[in-house]
Amino acid sequence: MTADNKHAIEFNQVRISYPGARDYALRIDKLSVNCADFVAVIGPSGAGKSTFLRSINGLIPHQQGELRVFGQSYRQRDLVRLRQQVSMVFQNFNLSPRMSVLDNVLIGRLAQKKGMLKALARFNDEDREIAFLALQKVGMLSYALRDIRQLSGGQKQRVAIARCLAQQAKIILADEPVASLDPINARRIIELLKELNQEQHITVLVNLHQVELVEKYFSSVIGLKHGRLEFHQDSQQQTITKDWNRIYG
Ligand SMILES: Nc1ncnc2c1ncn2[C@@H]1O[C@H](COP(=O)(O)OP(=O)(O)OP(=O)(O)O)[C@@H](O)[C@H]1O
Ligand SMILES: [Mg+2]
């Protein structure tokens, strides 16, 4: 990161529409997320939260405007490099059920490989060491050789987060990562993400609907409504005024 590049993510006049749709699913004129920020993305169903997150890692292309990641325009960089830096966590965990916990985490290493090594999914001792450290970090080391199907929802989400760590991602995008968890596990997962943010300075953006979690853990909030940015409060602002009514009212 250079002095003039304190932003992890920048949107400038970005427009995204899905094929056949009349309206833009996302329409953001100006928005920047600081490096190492811990951000909640809120808004009612259909507001564009998933579209927003998926556009940041290139899963959904933008038709207009400019989207920058660590100062580089999306169009200047190749997707492979983008995906090395950005990792996603999903509500349904997105793990391979037929593989072990360790193998699922090793998949995160593929983002750092090229050519045949990637095609053949060849892992070396360094990859395995990184994967074990990631599992240790999320408290799942003793489950390394277990089958994914034997894990609870909270444990699966920890493995999904370990995969992001194995990838050595600098940005984690989590799309409703706690929507299918009970309140205690939901809190633990948000606490884990916050710990990674604080210790490893990973920029984390989390879509979520649970207002109480937003209140408790997030000082930065992006509010979306009808595909537009309704408000953005970043962590450097002194006063915290999470304006729920503007979003959900
Ligand atoms: N694959 C798609 N094809 C067409 N339209 C889509 C597609 N995905 C989303 N949309 C539309 O884009 C808009 C934004 O959807 P998005 O999934 O981003 O909302 P969301 O805020 O994540 O909602 P939720 O809280 O229900 O997950 C909605 O109007 C939705 O119907
Ligand atoms: Mg969504």
Side-chain angles (χ1 to χ4, degrees), residues 18-22:
Y18 288 104
R22 278 179 45 212

Side-chain angles (χ1 to χ4, degrees), residues 27-59:
R27 185 189 176 103
I28 297 186
D29 289 338
K30 207 142 191 64
L31 170 71
S32 42
V33 173
N34 291 330
C35 287
D37 215 348
F38 189 66
V39 189
V41 182
I42 62 164
S45 187
K49 303 180 299 298
S50 296
T51 305
F52 173 69
L53 285 197
R54 285 161 188 248
S55 68
I56 297 168
N57 83 336
L59 273 174

Side-chain angles (χ1 to χ4, degrees), residues 59-79:
L59 273 174
I60 297 177
H62 53 285
Q63 288 86 29
Q64 289 178 47
E66 191 174 50
L67 208 169
R68 288 176 178 262
V69 174
F70 294 122
Q72 272 191 286
S73 158
Y74 187 86
R75 294 189 203 284
Q76 285 164 9
R77 45 195 308 148
D78 62 303
L79 267 177

